[in-house]
Amino acid sequence: MASHRKSRTPGTRVAGIRTPALATAALTSVALLSQTADAAPGDDRPSLEEVEKKVGDLYRQAESATEKYNAAKEKTTKQRKRVDTLLDDVAQRTQKLNEARAELGSYAAAQYRTGAGMPDTATFLLAETPQDVFDQRQVLDRMTGRQKAAVDDYVTQQTETMKKRQEATESLRTLTETQDDLKTAKATVQKKLADARELLSKLTAEEKARLAAIEKRKQEEAARKAAELAREEAAQQSGGTSESSGSGSTGSADTPPADAPPADSSYAAKAEKALAFARAQIGKPYVWGATGPGSYDCSGLTQAAWKAAGVSLPRTTYDQVNAGTTVPVSQAQPGDLVFFYDDVTHVGIYIGNGMMIHAPKPGTYVREESIYYDGDSAIHSIVRPA
């Protein structure tokens, strides 16, 4: 069963972004309709093709919510670190403020014991705000040098402490907001996945078998398209022209952008390390929000793979798609990132011959699969990250 499904507007591919003339999703829908019997009169159960499409949509929505969760989690983590740093700073400055207050207190006590006609240093200790202290600065002209220094230190510490306390308060407010965003995204993911499981649980054994057959045919078609692209890649490497004429061929229609970077030896070396890492993760479960080492979601896997090659990628698909240069599908090289869907909610790492390694969806495992696993219309772009 397809993990994703989204119709796209017919058009052409520009700089690696494809919108084909006839969406694969539409072809699949026709095939489903031809194989699914009409519902009996009065039967309000959804048809098999409706279930298949709805489940695919729910998985897509869950993946979109997962990327929002990943972004909120990253933001929350950074904000929590900032809050911790500010609170530590406030504690340190409060300690210094107390020390400055104690020094002023010692002068006030000495004045009380001796009855000296010196300025009342204690008035500074009664000030509630920095402004109160500044309003009394005229008495400094009658103070000793050490007293003046003590007052200056006290004013500085009080001002800085109050400033940091305000920053900490604002950061705590922001942290609360990001935590709320995190909770909302998490609840959305869980709801979409629960809805998908509920729909699948209502299928009969026969319907599940038919869905499995549909999925198998889709995989066979995806494999055929990958084989076409592999032949085109081989022809390009040999300096010839691909003889492939299949309707699903995408490479010959692409025109590489002028600034597309060549896959030089330096890139190839990094890509080899990234791919070696990705291959080592095959068989590990997809878990939304996971970044390894025991499980991954799609962007968590690509981020970890390229990190193993010494390249730092952002956490989410939304940011990863901008972390490199877009190239046409026909110019894809091993290590490139393959992004899917108009809302850029899925990503895999290209391994060549029309294949990629990716973490597909909940209930599946990291695996090698055709980049056409959900039809060529699903491919959004190819990005070279280093």
Side-chain angles (χ1 to χ4, degrees), residues 47 80 90 99 139 148 161 178 186 208 269 272 298 304 321 366 374:
S47 63
R80 184 175 289 113
V90 167
E99 292 172 356
V139 301
K148 290 180 181 180
T161 299
T178 60
K186 181 177 181 179
K208 291 179 180 179
E272 184 177 355
C298 66
V321 75
V366 175
D374 202 20

Side-chain angles (χ1 to χ4, degrees), residues 22-77:
L22 182 60
T24 302
L27 292 174
T28 302
S29 177
V30 172
L32 284 168
L33 287 170
S34 66
Q35 298 165 23
T36 305
D38 293 335
D43 186 357
D44 59 356
R45 292 186 65 207
S47 63
L48 187 59
E49 65 269 16
E50 289 173 336
V51 172
E52 193 264 355
K53 183 180 185 303
K54 182 61 176 177
V55 170
D57 288 344
L58 286 169
Y59 277 129
R60 284 284 317 282
Q61 293 165 17
E63 200 160 32
S64 177
T66 294
E67 291 304 311
K68 291 178 181 178
Y69 170 87
N70 291 339
K73 182 178 180 180
E74 185 175 46
K75 185 177 180 180
T76 298
T77 300

Side-chain angles (χ1 to χ4, degrees), residues 101-258:
R101 180 181 289 111
E103 184 173 2
L104 283 182
S106 67
Y107 285 121
Q111 291 171 207
Y112 178 79
R113 288 194 304 272
T114 61
M118 297 295 293
D120 188 3
T121 309
T123 59
F124 286 93
L125 296 177
L126 299 176
E128 295 182 353
T129 68
Q131 186 60 48
D132 293 337
V133 177
F134 284 117
D135 289 343
Q136 300 176 35
R137 292 295 291 269
Q138 65 270 17
V139 301
L140 287 175
D141 292 337
R142 297 184 290 126
M143 288 184 173
T144 65
R146 291 187 62 184
Q147 284 178 307
K148 290 180 181 180
V151 170
D152 284 339
D153 184 44
Y154 178 75
V155 171
T156 298
Q157 296 303 331
Q158 187 182 49
T159 302
E160 289 301 316
T161 299
M162 293 184 68
K163 178 181 177 181
K164 290 300 179 180
R165 284 175 179 170
Q166 181 62 33
E167 289 181 16
T169 299
E170 294 174 355
S171 292
L172 282 169
R173 186 181 301 111
T174 301
L175 177 60
T176 299
E177 293 173 355
T178 60
Q179 288 175 329
D180 288 342
D181 292 341
L182 189 64
K183 292 177 181 177
T184 299
K186 181 177 181 179
T188 301
V189 175
Q190 293 173 331
K191 179 64 166 57
K192 299 301 181 182
L193 294 179
D195 289 346
R197 287 193 296 268
E198 182 180 2
L199 281 173
L200 291 173
S201 69
K202 294 179 179 179
L203 296 179
T204 65
E206 179 184 358
E207 288 172 328
K208 291 179 180 179
R210 288 162 61 193
L211 278 180
I214 293 170
E215 177 64 18
K216 182 178 179 181
R217 285 193 293 272
K218 287 186 63 178
Q219 291 177 351
E220 290 172 348
E221 175 62 13
R224 184 187 69 79
K225 289 179 177 291
E228 282 186 5
L229 183 56
R231 288 193 294 272
E232 292 176 2
E233 290 177 355
Q236 289 176 359
Q237 291 175 2
S238 63
T241 302
S242 172
E243 297 179 356
S244 173
S245 59
S247 61
S249 178
T250 63
S252 59
D254 297 330
T255 301

